[in-house]
Every structure is written in structure tokens, then in C-alpha cells.
Amino acid sequence: MRTLLRIITISVLILYSSLAQAGEPVRYQLDNGFTVILKENHEAPVAAFQVWVRAGSANEKPHEYGITHLIEHMIFKGTPSDPKGLMAKRIEALGGDINAYTTLDHTNYWTVAPSYAAGQVLENLADAVVNAWFDEKELGKEKEVVIEEIRMGQDSPQRRRGKAVMAAVFGKDHPYGRPVIGSVESVRAISRQDILDYRKRWYRASNMMLVAVGDFKIEELKPQIAKLFAGLPAEPALDFNLPPVKSGDGPRLVVLKEKVKQANIAMAWPIPGLPDPAVYALDMASSVAGDAETSRLNATVKEKLGLVDSIGSYAYTPDGYGFFALSASLNPENLKKAWPAMLTEALSLISNPPSKSELNKARVALSASFIRGRQTMKDQANTLGYFEMMYGGYEQVDTYTERFKSVSALQVKDALKKYLSAKNLVMVLQVPEDSQVPTETELQEQAARIFAAQQNAPAPKPVQEKAIRKELANGMTLLVQPRSSLPLVSFRLVAPGGFAGENKENAGLHELWSRSLDRGSKNYSYKELAETLDNLAGGVGAFTSRHFSGMTGGFLAKDAKEGLSIMADLWLRPTFDDDQLKRAKAEQYASLRRQLSSPTGRAFLKFRELFYGDHPYALNPLGSQESLVKLTGADLMAAHAKLKGTKGLVLSVAGDVDPKQVEIWATQFFAGAEGQAQQPELPEVKAPDAPRVEKIDDKTAKQSQIVLGWLAPNARSKERHAFNLLQAILGGMGGRLFLDLRDTRSLAYSVSPFYSAGYQLGVFGIYMGVGPGKEKEALSGLNEHLERIRSQPPTLEELDRAKAQILGGLAIGLQSYASQAEVMADDDVLGRGYMYHKDLPQDIKAVTPEDIQAVAAKYLKPGHEVRLVLGP
């Protein structure tokens, strides 16, 4: 389960278009008052179901802190018709995915599945939500799981910071100031009767609703829904009123001095939440201030002044109250200059309200998000449910967008002037233990000067959807998958070569290359590029992996030609400008600091070193402090010269385009390019002859991180299918490891098998996050499962569940054009064939139980594993 305290920005809110080429939503109520919203969409063979409850952690009484989230965990743990709580396993066996999240003001139980299983999946979800019986024994075990989740949060700098911001803005005694997940003490104290009392208050038909979007027939679903949800209590919903937020004694300062490498700043002001009309202007303000690369905060504080590695703004507006925030991640040495610059730039929207261009960029981004957000059934259901519950009806999507687009510069100024006052400011600093930070008095004095200074400042045609592959005259391979349902296009450019060719001296080279390539060319400065992309509501990026590197791009279909032109210019004529390289390097340093601040990150870094030894694969793709400092623009240009040759280059395109037109564009934009991109020659990696084991004492961690791994088949081996199925059999909420080690024995909050199949080799491993003192028992239990899978084939039921899970994931995952472009390109460069994803289902279906046992016995041999344990 996941606890979500989500920062809902404009790009997250607007995920649904009333202009969708699908059926309009249908809303009705059952006799007991239960609201149902159904929307047919036959663009993909997928169905999404969500049960929303208007009750979050804010609804809890003092002795119930954390109970909403605990119920979220327990809801799937058994009913009279499912005493063993195997619902998740059954849904995964149907190829579906199930989960839930808890927020301050609502809870959402959701599932996504192939449409052929829609009725069965809905039946399982409804049974859990309506009939969960909250077994006493299961409750005791699940409390331990939640406590492990709390400890995991204590290990996360981001979660610690988020908790501090909420407490600072709302106050620790306010319902919004408390952690949604509760505390170890409060969770331990919750009884089964507490849960039953809470459910009786809030899980009433009139306080809940079902939202479903997908490939189904509404009239066929209606009778089933009436039957499944008839058992919900019909009593009227209870009134609930939040206490007021106390504020006005600031500016206030909260300092978290911790064992972190990176500094983080959060500034926040309390604002109204939904459905207050001020939300529209505040959302516009957050978009103009910090959403895009050319936003004020990015352009000034990050790019011009170079004070932060990343920066942004957001308006968090749950039911009733919210907050407007600025956030930044930075080198601790820049802290003294960075926070005043952030505050000054944000307040500039008062003294210098948004220009027409800035307002237009926010509106264009909104329009683009309309279209992009329609690519998955789950996102459409999310938006319908969110607007129905928080805005008074899903029809308010149109109202919201119109009101957002109509926000004026004066309205932005007035809203910020009203709510962004010095007395209401709170600032949370998360810094390394030896950092110099301002005192609260210094904050108050400097903030007063900044506020005073701002106050006194002057003021297309359908195309055939048959994919094509063509070798162009310059040696480039072109792949095109036309799609006409949405006016979008996605590009993926892939070349052989990646960080597998690095050494200790230049480790991190290709990662730095990927962070620098899209920061300017001979024809576009960084600023010009950012402006152009913002005006197109498009984006480009670069990526790298062990053996392949390249670029991605996403644009509205009408801008496809210009988008590809920009990508080609960046690929053929990058500048790796010294100033932009410096900024990219600072971002990579920041990522490295974050990695080293995370116990999980440190564990996987040490595991890599232990697994590969002296092989280049052992190197950290982010590099090291020592290697990064040596890298220059000349190094990046030399690395790029080995990649950019068009012979060996693959351009994959998916979306609303004409393949012949794309061929003309690619030939034109890449004209004159020469060269052959090739894979570097690397030594063979051999499985260890004896166990490699290392235990690292990490006194800063609250949990132990355990990682085991074995050498496994590569991405071109037919055995990879058996390994993917093995991962599904062991993993997932219905898998062996989850059901036993997590659910039955409560030994770990997280237990996740992973299989990574690369160009040269693969790795199969298992990660566990366990509480102190449970390491030995957890490893013993894991070894029992490994011996079982080596010695006997899985059952047909298990294999069928795993196959359905993978095949369902394929259907769900290939909904977006970006994923279609990615899978075509990657399969082509791996030699599997650009349309291999069409044949993949048959290869998955052909795997037998004996195939699973055979690969487990062949590769997961006792005494040939690598094991890393990092923890207290």
C-alpha cells in the first residue's frame, strides 16, 4: 500500500478532456445513496475501477491517529467470502494491478486490469471495501508492516522534510499538521473495535463513490454494481468541519540538521483550500513562478544566479485549507544567498505581475496536459473522482479550466499580496549537521526588508496505423508507428554506447552527457531552447544506460516537424557550453549527494561494487566526487562523437504523423551526418564461484537494507521470459514472498524481487527492507523460498497468475505513445525486431512450470550469490 500526501499541482489536476473521443461519463446513485460514475472508453482493452471515500487522516479522533491508513492496509486482508485475504493475488492472476492511497481528506482504493477481467476485478474490489472483517490476528501483523513503513519514512530525508513542513504550516495539533501514517505509538494502540467504529462513521454509501473508466459496456455493469454495493450502510453522511489554522506570528523558522549531504529549502504560507475561488489565481501563480524551465524561479535563481540545483513552486489545496510553497535543493554552501533570492523572485509577481507571455505559457501547458492525461484509464478515473469529490462534480473540469485560463495578472497579484505575507511565512531548512543557518531573528529582519522592497517597487488527416521500418540513405534506421486517436507525437533516438565504457577516472561521463546534451546547440542557446519548448508545450531530454544512449521528445502533433528539428540540432550540433556544463555538473553532484543520503541508495551502490568487482559495471553511473570534477566539455564532445554517427542510430516515432512525412523530415534534418556508433568491447562477467557477502554497519539507518543477487540471462536470451515470470511468481502483493515474509511473518515492509536484463548480461536479485533484529530470520525465510523454487516447479495457478500479470502490464504499459516509441526502438537495437512486442505475448504464454524451475536451478545456485546487508 502507499500513503500519499500528494502535492496536487495544475499539471496533476487537469488530466481529463471533455472533448475526449469516447463516451461521456454517466452519473447515478444507488438506493442507499452510493454515487456511481461510469465512462466507456474503448481506445485500449483496459478498465480502471476506483472506490473513493470522503474520509482521510483529518477525520481521525485523538486515539485514532493513523487509523485511516491502517484501514487502507487492512481492507484487502479478508472478508467472509475470502477469509484468507487472497483478493490481491486473484486480481494479479487476472493480469491486473491493485493498490490504494490515503490522504488528508480522502481515501482511494483502485485497480486497473485488462477489460476481459473487468467484472471479476470489480467483484473482488467491492467485496473488500464493503465486507472487510478486519481479522484480529491479521491486524496485529499488519500493524508491524505499517510500523516498518513508518521507519522507512524516518530513513527518507524527503519524508522527514515533508512532515516538518506540514507541522510548521498547520501546527502539530491541527489534523493537517499530523502525519497521515500516524506514529509507532498511535498505530500500536489501535484496536479492531476502533477500526469498526471508524468504518461505521465514515464508510457509508452517501460518503463514498465508485468511478470506472474503460473498455466495458455501462448497461452491463449497472446490475453488478447495484448488487455489489447494496450492502453499504444507507445512513446520511456525517458533517465534518476542520478547525481553523492558526497563523500570523511569523516569519517562523524550522531547522533540521541531519546526516544529509544536500540542503533543501521549503517556504510556505497557509492559503484557502478547495473550493475557495482563490485557488485559481494561486494555481496560476505557482505555474508562472516555478513550473517550467523559463519560469521566474528557474530562470533567475537556478540559471542566472546558479544558487540551486532544482527549484519549483506549488499550491497544495486539499479540502478546506492548503498552502503555497517554494522548494529548492542546493549545495549547502549556497544557503545564505539562495533563500533570500527565492523569496525575492516569488514576490516579484506582486510588484511585477505576470506578463501576457507568462500567462499564455501556463494556459498552453494546461491545454497540453488535457491531451496527455487521457492516455491511461486510471488517470481519467482519477480526474473524474477528484473533481466529483473536491469540486462538487466532474463537470467542474471544464469550469476549472475556463476559470484558470481567465485568471488575469491583476488577480495573481491580488491573491499573492493577500496570502504571501511576512507574518504568515514559515521556512523549513534541511541541512547537513555542520551547516551555517540563519537565526529566526535574521530571517524576520531580512524577510521584512524583502517584503517592504516588493511592496514599494513600481509596479490533421487520418493515417493508416501500420508501423514501418526503413533504412535511410545516411545509415539511420527509421521506425514509425502512426496513431490517430490523440494529436500527440513521441520521438526516441537511440545510439549504441553508454556508461559501460567508462573507467574510474571518467565515471559519470555519460550521465553528465545526458544532463548536458539538451542544454543548447549552435542554433539554440539554453534560454532560447527553453523559451521555444515552453511555447510549444513540448519537451526534449537525453538518457543513457550501460550500453545505449539517446534522446526523447514529446510534442503536440501540429508541432512534430519543429520538435524533430530541435532534437536533430541538439544531436548534431551540441555545444556543451561551459556555463551550462557547470550547472549540469551541479545537478549531478546533487543527485550523488541524495544517493549517498539514502540508506537504500547506499545499499545498492555497495551491492554493485560487490557484485561486479573490478568490472566497469561496478562503477556508479553518477560517478564520484573525484571523477566528476575532472570532466570537461571536451570530454563530453569526445564521448558524443562516438555516439552521434547515423550508422547504427535508430529513430523511433509514435503518434499522429504520416510516415512518409517523417521520412522526409529525418532525411532533411540529419543530412550530412556521418559516422558509425558502436558498442565498446568489455570483459566477460562471470558468476562468483563462492558467496560474496558484506555487512555494513550504518548507524544512521532505522531499517536494514538487504540485497541479494545472481548473474542472470541477458535481454536477448529466451530464458529471460522465464525469469520475468519467476519475478512475478515471487513478487507482487499476491506473490510468494509478499504473502509469506510480509503478510504472514511480518518480517519486512518491502520485499521485492528484481530482474534487470541488459545487452550483455542480466541480474536477478531480491531487495528487503527489514526492522533491526529481523535480518537473520528474513534471510532464512527467503532461502526457504529459493530452495523451493529450485527444487520444484511452480503450480499452474501461480504461473497463470504471473502470465496474466505480465500480459496485463503490457496492455496497460503500452497505452502511451512514448512507451510505444520506446519499446520499438529498444527492441530494434537489441536485435529482437521493432515489432517484437506484438509477438511477446505468445513467448510469455509458451513458458512452462518446468522452464521456471530450470532457470532457478541453473542460475540461482546456493553458494553463487552476492549478498549485501546495510543497516544498524
Side-chain angles (χ1 to χ4, degrees):
M1 302 300 157
R2 296 195 298 264
T3 298
L4 292 185
L5 182 55
R6 299 184 301 170
I7 303 304
I8 303 177
T9 61
I10 192 72
S11 61
V12 178
L13 278 170
I14 306 303
L15 292 175
Y16 167 76
S17 173
S18 61
L19 303 177
Q21 296 175 3
E24 290 300 310
V26 173
R27 182 203 291 112
Y28 65 96
Q29 282 192 339
L30 303 185
D31 291 341
N32 58 8
F34 183 69
T35 298
V36 181
I37 299 174
L38 305 177
K39 180 178 186 293
E40 288 188 26
N41 187 331
H42 305 290
E43 294 176 357
V46 176
F49 298 98
Q50 299 179 356
V51 176
W52 292 65
V53 185
R54 189 184 287 276
S57 62
N59 297 69
E60 296 166 355
K61 294 181 178 180
H63 68 285
E64 296 175 334
Y65 295 161
I67 196 171
T68 313
H69 173 256
L70 182 58
I71 290 174
E72 175 213 309
H73 274 247
M74 286 295 298
I75 209 86
F76 303 129
K77 295 297 180 181
T79 68
S81 63
D82 180 25
K84 293 185 179 180
L86 299 178
M87 185 204 62
K89 182 177 180 180
R90 288 195 296 273
I91 288 180
E92 288 181 348
L94 294 169
D97 187 16
I98 182 169
N99 219 312
Y101 66 80
T102 308
T103 72
L104 298 172
D105 50 27
H106 70 274
T107 308
N108 187 347
Y109 302 96
W110 62 265
T111 183
V112 181
S115 53
Y116 64 76
Q120 295 164 276
V121 167
L122 176 59
E123 182 178 350
N124 280 272
L125 178 62
D127 184 39
V129 174
V130 177
N131 303 313
W133 62 357
F134 305 108
D135 177 74
E136 193 80 55
K137 184 178 179 182
E138 286 295 327
L139 177 59
K141 291 190 293 186
E142 204 60 29
K143 283 184 185 180
E144 292 303 310
V145 171
V146 172
I147 287 167
E148 287 303 317
E149 188 178 355
I150 292 172
R151 289 180 178 139
M152 183 174 67
Q154 292 170 343
D155 271 345
S156 167
Q158 182 179 358
R159 291 192 182 185
R160 294 195 300 267
R161 185 170 67 253
K163 179 180 175 182
V165 170
M166 297 297 288
V169 172
F170 298 110
K172 294 180 180 180
D173 296 329
H174 191 276
Y176 281 6
R178 301 190 305 265
V180 171
I181 198 171
S183 66
V184 172
E185 296 74 21
S186 68
V187 170
R188 284 200 193 280
I190 294 170
S191 68
R192 181 174 184 269
Q193 189 59 49
D194 292 331
I195 289 177
L196 295 177
D197 292 343
Y198 180 96
R199 181 172 68 170
K200 184 177 181 181
R201 294 201 312 272
W202 301 114
Y203 280 61
R204 302 179 178 188
S206 56
N207 207 44
M208 302 170 66
M209 67 178 173
L210 170 71
V211 181
V213 177
D215 183 32
F216 50 70
K217 295 293 185 182
I218 289 178
E219 294 306 317
E220 293 176 4
L221 273 187
K222 279 186 173 182
Q224 184 184 19
I225 292 170
K227 179 181 178 181
L228 292 175
F229 293 95
L232 288 171
E235 292 95 332
L238 294 175
D239 290 332
F240 176 73
N241 295 308
L242 278 170
V245 175
K246 298 178 181 179
S247 58
D249 58 347
R252 289 176 287 128
L253 177 66
V254 177
V255 178
L256 308 176
K257 286 197 170 186
E258 302 178 343
K259 293 184 180 298
V260 294
K261 305 291 184 181
Q262 184 83 335
N264 284 275
I265 301 171
M267 296 182 187
W269 294 262
I271 60 174
L274 297 172
D276 194 288
V279 165
Y280 303 101
L282 292 166
D283 280 344
M284 177 64 82
S286 73
S287 182
V288 172
D291 265 4
E293 285 295 316
T294 54
S295 66
R296 295 195 183 186
L297 289 169
N298 269 286
T300 300
V301 184
K302 181 185 176 186
E303 297 302 330
K304 181 180 179 180
L305 301 177
L307 295 174
V308 298
D309 302 311
S310 62
I311 192 167
S313 59
Y314 53 88
Y316 176 48
T317 51
D319 192 14
Y321 301 102
F323 63 83
F324 188 95
L326 317 175
S327 64
S329 179
L330 64 154
N331 188 317
E333 296 176 356
N334 293 333
L335 185 65
K336 183 177 180 180
K337 294 181 179 179
W339 77 261
M342 289 172 60
L343 183 57
T344 299
E345 200 58 35
L347 294 179
S348 72
L349 285 168
I350 299 174
S351 59
N352 181 22
S355 65
K356 289 182 179 180
S357 174
E358 288 175 314
L359 293 173
N360 187 57
K361 286 177 188 176
R363 292 163 185 156
V364 169
L366 176 77
S367 298
S369 68
F370 259 92
I371 300 170
R372 291 194 173 100
R374 280 198 58 249
Q375 293 186 93
T376 72
M377 308 301 180
K378 180 187 170 188
D379 283 342
Q380 293 179 46
N382 272 341
T383 305
L384 286 171
Y386 189 84
F387 275 84
E388 180 73 19
M389 182 164 282
M390 298 300 167
Y391 280 85
Y394 65 78
E395 299 90 347
Q396 298 303 314
V397 173
D398 292 326
T399 302
Y400 178 90
T401 55
E402 290 306 314
R403 292 190 66 173
F404 178 84
K405 290 179 180 179
S406 67
V407 169
S408 67
L410 182 60
Q411 288 173 314
V412 171
K413 173 182 177 177
D414 289 344
L416 292 182
K417 191 172 183 178
K418 180 176 181 180
Y419 295 108
L420 268 60
S421 65
K423 65 179 182 179
N424 287 337
L425 169 64
V426 295
M427 183 165 73
V428 176
L429 303 178
Q430 185 181 49
V431 296
E433 293 174 310
D434 58 352
S435 297
Q436 296 295 317
V437 297
T439 65
E440 191 162 81
T441 299
E442 290 170 339
L443 167 64
Q444 292 170 349
E445 292 175 349
Q446 195 159 357
R449 289 194 294 269
I450 294 171
F451 273 94
Q454 291 300 325
Q455 290 172 353
N456 297 326
K461 297 180 181 180
V463 295
Q464 290 187 350
E465 298 192 347
K466 182 179 179 181
I468 62 102
R469 182 182 192 276
K470 188 164 186 178
E471 299 284 345
L472 303 185
N474 60 9
M476 177 190 292
T477 298
L478 175 65
L479 313 172
V480 185
Q481 174 64 76
R483 294 294 189 201
S484 58
S485 60
L486 293 171
L488 294 172
V489 63
S490 291
F491 299 103
R492 186 173 180 87
L493 195 65
V494 183
F499 53 76
E502 296 173 1
N503 54 52
K504 288 185 178 180
E505 294 300 313
N506 67 0
L509 171 64
H510 285 81
E511 176 66 23
L512 186 59
W513 168 88
S514 71
R515 293 172 183 267
S516 305
L517 182 67
D518 59 354
R519 299 181 71 88
S521 68
K522 289 184 178 178
N523 291 321
Y524 289 97
S525 69
Y526 176 82
K527 183 178 180 181
E528 290 168 340
L529 178 64
E531 288 278 1
T532 302
L533 293 173
D534 281 351
N535 287 327
L536 295 175
V540 297
F543 67 89
T544 189
S545 61
R546 277 183 182 163
H547 290 277
F548 297 99
S549 302
M551 293 189 71
T552 59
F555 298 88
L556 296 173
K558 67 182 182 65
D559 302 318
K561 180 179 180 180
E562 187 173 357
L564 183 58
S565 171
I566 291 169
M567 288 181 63
D569 193 62
L570 289 167
W571 186 260
L572 298 176
R573 291 171 283 276
T575 54
F576 301 116
D577 171 79
D578 287 344
D579 182 58
Q580 294 303 323
L581 175 59
K582 179 181 178 181
R583 298 176 192 280
K585 191 178 288 191
E587 291 177 2
Q588 191 159 329
Y589 277 127
S591 296
L592 183 60
R593 290 194 292 269
R594 282 193 294 272
Q595 180 189 56
L596 298 176
S597 296
S598 163
T600 306
R602 295 195 295 272
F604 273 92
L605 192 58
K606 290 295 183 182
F607 173 77
R608 178 192 293 270
E609 296 172 359
L610 186 62
F611 194 95
Y612 295 115
D614 294 330
H615 196 277
Y617 285 178
L619 299 171
N620 186 349
L622 290 174
S624 65
Q625 295 281 351
E626 294 76 20
S627 64
L628 281 180
V629 74
K630 300 175 185 176
L631 296 177
T632 66
D635 295 325
L636 297 189
M637 197 64 80
H640 186 65
K642 297 178 181 179
L643 296 170
K644 77 172 184 178
T646 47
K647 293 180 180 179
L649 193 63
V650 174
L651 172 62
S652 179
V653 187
D656 191 11
V657 292
D658 180 346
K660 292 182 179 179
Q661 191 65 61
V662 175
E663 181 184 346
I664 293 171
W665 296 342
T667 301
Q668 173 187 348
F669 298 149
F670 289 88
E674 298 178 349
Q676 174 80 53
Q678 293 180 328
Q679 292 288 355
E681 293 291 334
L682 294 172
E684 182 183 359
V685 178
K686 296 182 178 180
D689 296 327
R692 295 179 194 157
V693 181
E694 185 174 353
K695 186 170 184 180
I696 299 174
D697 183 16
D698 190 332
K699 294 182 173 59
T700 67
K702 307 295 182 184
Q703 278 188 318
S704 288
Q705 317 292 320
I706 301 175
V707 190
L708 287 85
W710 294 262
L711 208 61
N714 64 32
R716 293 170 290 172
S717 168
K718 291 185 178 180
E719 291 178 316
R720 73 184 187 278
H721 302 308
F723 259 101
N724 280 319
L725 289 164
L726 172 59
Q727 177 184 345
I729 288 169
L730 295 178
M733 293 174 63
R736 292 183 180 184
L737 301 183
F738 188 97
L739 291 176
D740 182 24
L741 301 183
R742 185 190 188 278
D743 271 12
T744 302
R745 305 199 210 182
S746 299
L747 291 175
Y749 172 73
S750 177
V751 51
S752 305
F754 58 89
Y755 172 50
S756 173
Y759 178 78
Q760 185 174 9
L761 56 82
V763 178
F764 183 85
I766 298 169
Y767 162 77
M768 293 191 293
V770 306
K774 296 181 180 179
E775 297 92 338
K776 185 175 181 180
E777 188 178 357
L779 283 168
S780 176
L782 179 58
N783 284 328
E784 292 173 15
H785 284 282
L786 291 171
E787 179 55 35
R788 177 184 168 194
I789 199 66
R790 286 191 294 258
S791 60
Q792 56 185 330
T795 66
L796 283 174
E797 179 187 359
E798 286 181 306
L799 185 55
D800 287 344
R801 165 191 163 272
K803 288 179 179 180
Q805 184 179 348
I806 290 177
L807 294 174
L810 287 173
I812 294 169
L814 285 173
Q815 292 179 88
S816 73
Y817 296 163
S819 62
Q820 293 169 31
E822 178 180 356
V823 74
M824 287 197 306
D826 292 0
D827 281 340
D828 194 80
V829 296
L830 286 168
R832 299 194 295 225
Y834 74 107
M835 292 303 289
Y836 174 66
H837 59 284
K838 296 290 186 180
D839 300 326
L840 178 58
Q842 295 305 317
D843 287 348
I844 295 293
K845 292 175 182 177
V847 176
T848 67
E850 290 71 26
D851 293 333
I852 304 291
Q853 180 194 357
V855 297
K858 177 180 177 180
Y859 290 95
L860 310 186
K861 295 178 181 178
H864 293 268
E865 75 275 10
V866 175
R867 183 169 77 243
L868 188 285
V869 181
L870 181 147

PDB file of all heavy atoms in Angstrom, residues 354-361 363:
ATOM      1  N   PRO A 354       2.427  38.838 -13.712  1.00  0.00           N
ATOM      2  CA  PRO A 354       2.755  38.026 -14.887  1.00  0.00           C
ATOM      3  C   PRO A 354       2.463  38.760 -16.193  1.00  0.00           C
ATOM      4  O   PRO A 354       1.445  39.449 -16.329  1.00  0.00           O
ATOM      5  CB  PRO A 354       1.849  36.797 -14.746  1.00  0.00           C
ATOM      6  CG  PRO A 354       1.522  36.733 -13.301  1.00  0.00           C
ATOM      7  CD  PRO A 354       1.505  38.127 -12.798  1.00  0.00           C
ATOM      8  N   SER A 355       3.358  38.591 -17.151  1.00  0.00           N
ATOM      9  CA  SER A 355       3.154  39.170 -18.485  1.00  0.00           C
ATOM     10  C   SER A 355       2.166  38.318 -19.271  1.00  0.00           C
ATOM     11  O   SER A 355       1.823  37.198 -18.874  1.00  0.00           O
ATOM     12  CB  SER A 355       4.483  39.224 -19.230  1.00  0.00           C
ATOM     13  OG  SER A 355       4.947  37.898 -19.474  1.00  0.00           O
ATOM     14  N   LYS A 356       1.722  38.834 -20.397  1.00  0.00           N
ATOM     15  CA  LYS A 356       0.829  38.061 -21.260  1.00  0.00           C
ATOM     16  C   LYS A 356       1.496  36.770 -21.708  1.00  0.00           C
ATOM     17  O   LYS A 356       0.862  35.722 -21.806  1.00  0.00           O
ATOM     18  CB  LYS A 356       0.434  38.899 -22.470  1.00  0.00           C
ATOM     19  CG  LYS A 356      -0.505  40.054 -22.165  1.00  0.00           C
ATOM     20  CD  LYS A 356      -0.895  40.800 -23.435  1.00  0.00           C
ATOM     21  CE  LYS A 356      -1.852  41.956 -23.120  1.00  0.00           C
ATOM     22  NZ  LYS A 356      -2.243  42.690 -24.351  1.00  0.00           N
ATOM     23  N   SER A 357       2.807  36.860 -21.979  1.00  0.00           N
ATOM     24  CA  SER A 357       3.545  35.674 -22.406  1.00  0.00           C
ATOM     25  C   SER A 357       3.575  34.622 -21.309  1.00  0.00           C
ATOM     26  O   SER A 357       3.387  33.426 -21.567  1.00  0.00           O
ATOM     27  CB  SER A 357       4.972  36.064 -22.793  1.00  0.00           C
ATOM     28  OG  SER A 357       5.740  34.921 -23.073  1.00  0.00           O
ATOM     29  N   GLU A 358       3.813  35.034 -20.058  1.00  0.00           N
ATOM     30  CA  GLU A 358       3.854  34.085 -18.950  1.00  0.00           C
ATOM     31  C   GLU A 358       2.493  33.437 -18.723  1.00  0.00           C
ATOM     32  O   GLU A 358       2.391  32.221 -18.495  1.00  0.00           O
ATOM     33  CB  GLU A 358       4.318  34.792 -17.671  1.00  0.00           C
ATOM     34  CG  GLU A 358       5.798  35.145 -17.672  1.00  0.00           C
ATOM     35  CD  GLU A 358       6.200  35.947 -16.456  1.00  0.00           C
ATOM     36  OE1 GLU A 358       5.477  36.924 -16.114  1.00  0.00           O
ATOM     37  OE2 GLU A 358       7.227  35.604 -15.829  1.00  0.00           O
ATOM     38  N   LEU A 359       1.438  34.235 -18.776  1.00  0.00           N
ATOM     39  CA  LEU A 359       0.096  33.687 -18.615  1.00  0.00           C
ATOM     40  C   LEU A 359      -0.214  32.718 -19.750  1.00  0.00           C
ATOM     41  O   LEU A 359      -0.799  31.650 -19.523  1.00  0.00           O
ATOM     42  CB  LEU A 359      -0.937  34.812 -18.589  1.00  0.00           C
ATOM     43  CG  LEU A 359      -0.896  35.754 -17.383  1.00  0.00           C
ATOM     44  CD1 LEU A 359      -1.873  36.910 -17.595  1.00  0.00           C
ATOM     45  CD2 LEU A 359      -1.214  35.019 -16.088  1.00  0.00           C
ATOM     46  N   ASN A 360       0.206  33.053 -20.955  1.00  0.00           N
ATOM     47  CA  ASN A 360      -0.091  32.201 -22.101  1.00  0.00           C
ATOM     48  C   ASN A 360       0.636  30.865 -21.999  1.00  0.00           C
ATOM     49  O   ASN A 360       0.086  29.817 -22.357  1.00  0.00           O
ATOM     50  CB  ASN A 360       0.288  32.908 -23.401  1.00  0.00           C
ATOM     51  CG  ASN A 360      -0.161  32.120 -24.619  1.00  0.00           C
ATOM     52  OD1 ASN A 360      -1.337  31.818 -24.777  1.00  0.00           O
ATOM     53  ND2 ASN A 360       0.791  31.764 -25.469  1.00  0.00           N
ATOM     54  N   LYS A 361       1.879  30.888 -21.516  1.00  0.00           N
ATOM     55  CA  LYS A 361       2.624  29.635 -21.358  1.00  0.00           C
ATOM     56  C   LYS A 361       1.901  28.699 -20.397  1.00  0.00           C
ATOM     57  O   LYS A 361       1.810  27.483 -20.633  1.00  0.00           O
ATOM     58  CB  LYS A 361       4.035  29.913 -20.837  1.00  0.00           C
ATOM     59  CG  LYS A 361       4.975  30.498 -21.858  1.00  0.00           C
ATOM     60  CD  LYS A 361       6.312  30.811 -21.215  1.00  0.00           C
ATOM     61  CE  LYS A 361       7.208  31.575 -22.170  1.00  0.00           C
ATOM     62  NZ  LYS A 361       8.477  31.981 -21.537  1.00  0.00           N
ATOM     63  N   ARG A 363      -1.270  28.653 -19.786  1.00  0.00           N
ATOM     64  CA  ARG A 363      -2.501  28.181 -20.430  1.00  0.00           C
ATOM     65  C   ARG A 363      -2.191  27.105 -21.469  1.00  0.00           C
ATOM     66  O   ARG A 363      -2.922  26.121 -21.604  1.00  0.00           O
ATOM     67  CB  ARG A 363      -3.218  29.362 -21.088  1.00  0.00           C
ATOM     68  CG  ARG A 363      -3.777  30.362 -20.088  1.00  0.00           C
ATOM     69  CD  ARG A 363      -4.109  31.693 -20.743  1.00  0.00           C
ATOM     70  NE  ARG A 363      -4.539  32.687 -19.755  1.00  0.00           N
ATOM     71  CZ  ARG A 363      -4.445  33.998 -19.943  1.00  0.00           C
ATOM     72  NH1 ARG A 363      -3.915  34.477 -21.067  1.00  0.00           N
ATOM     73  NH2 ARG A 363      -4.860  34.837 -18.998  1.00  0.00           N
TER      74      ARG A 363
END
